[in-house]
């Protein structure tokens, strides 16, 4: 992994965690938590394994 990609990944994690803490302080935990759960589920769905289509049509 190139250094610039690694540094960008670290910066993205720090910025995202800061944004999450700010949103929880500003809007409250119970309004932010459903959004975080939804984003987590979308990320899990997006990163899930997609089986190959090896069957003939």
């Amino acid at each position: 992994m190139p250094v610039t990609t690694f540094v960008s990944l670290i910066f993205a994690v720090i910025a995202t965690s800061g944004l999450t803490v700010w949103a929880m302080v500003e809007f409250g935990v119970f309004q932010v938590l459903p959004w975080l759960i939804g984003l987590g589920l979308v990320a899990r769905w997006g990163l899930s394994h997609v089986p190959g289509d090896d069957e003939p049509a």
Side-chain angles (χ1 to χ4, degrees), residues 1-52:
M1 175 182 301
V3 174
T4 54
T5 304
F6 184 67
V7 171
S8 298
L9 182 64
I10 291 174
F11 178 72
V13 168
I14 291 171
T16 305
S17 63
L19 182 65
T20 302
V21 169
W22 170 81
M24 284 192 176
V25 169
E26 187 72 24
F27 301 112
V29 175
F30 294 111
Q31 286 188 341
V32 176
L33 196 60
W35 287 97
L36 290 176
I37 292 171
L39 286 173
L41 290 173
V42 167
R44 182 179 177 197
W45 173 75
L47 295 173
S48 65
H49 177 70
V50 178

